Amino acid sequence: MNIDNALKDAMAIEGAIGVAVADYESGMSLGFLGGGQDLDLEVAAAVNTEVVRAKVRALAALSIDDVIEDILITLGSQYHLIRPLASSHGSLFLYLALDRSRANLALARHGLKRIESSLDV
């Protein structure tokens, strides 16, 4: 699956507001879909590279030899899921914003995992 198809599949997840694929090393977005006036996905993806970088540094500082599966940020009205792509050796991640009132977090995580497994980058 290419990035465009992955973005479309992620937007089909119940409650999806927007999705992006970004490189946490450069801060660049490789593609995004959805968002709108209240959520600039290009900016959100770039800003969330700092979240991924901070978590990678935290694991290193704690000498935790493991990989990040998901990073979850819960807001009053939204969930933000960040899923580093194992196939990219951690430099790329999927970023999905969900409407909390319409989303099922477990199903969204499962959907991102499925998308990750079939994504070809």
Side-chain angles (χ1 to χ4, degrees):
M1 171 185 313
N2 64 25
I3 289 176
D4 289 337
N5 289 336
L7 295 172
K8 288 175 188 168
D9 280 3
M11 283 302 293
I13 294 172
E14 184 69 30
I17 298 169
V19 61
V21 176
D23 182 334
Y24 88 79
E25 291 175 351
S26 69
M28 304 241 345
S29 173
L30 280 71
F32 57 90
L33 194 59
Q37 195 172 32
D38 295 331
L39 180 62
D40 184 331
L41 279 164
E42 197 162 16
V43 171
V47 171
N48 277 292
T49 62
E50 292 301 321
V51 173
V52 177
R53 288 178 190 154
K55 193 59 189 172
V56 168
R57 284 192 308 269
L59 289 177
L62 296 169
S63 300
I64 297 175
D65 185 25
D66 209 342
V67 295
I68 300 168
E69 188 173 293
D70 294 310
I71 299 170
L72 171 62
I73 300 166
T74 58
L75 305 176
S77 63
Q78 297 177 358
Y79 293 126
H80 292 230
L81 275 171
I82 299 168
R83 185 170 186 93
L85 302 177
S87 62
S88 72
H89 304 290
S91 67
L92 299 179
F93 64 91
L94 281 164
Y95 168 75
L96 177 65
L98 299 157
D99 178 331
R100 190 170 175 160
S101 68
R102 297 184 304 122
N104 178 313
L105 187 55
L107 289 177
R109 290 185 68 226
H110 179 73
L112 280 186
K113 184 176 181 178
R114 180 188 50 76
I115 291 166
E116 176 195 8
S117 70
S118 60
L119 184 59
D120 217 6
V121 287

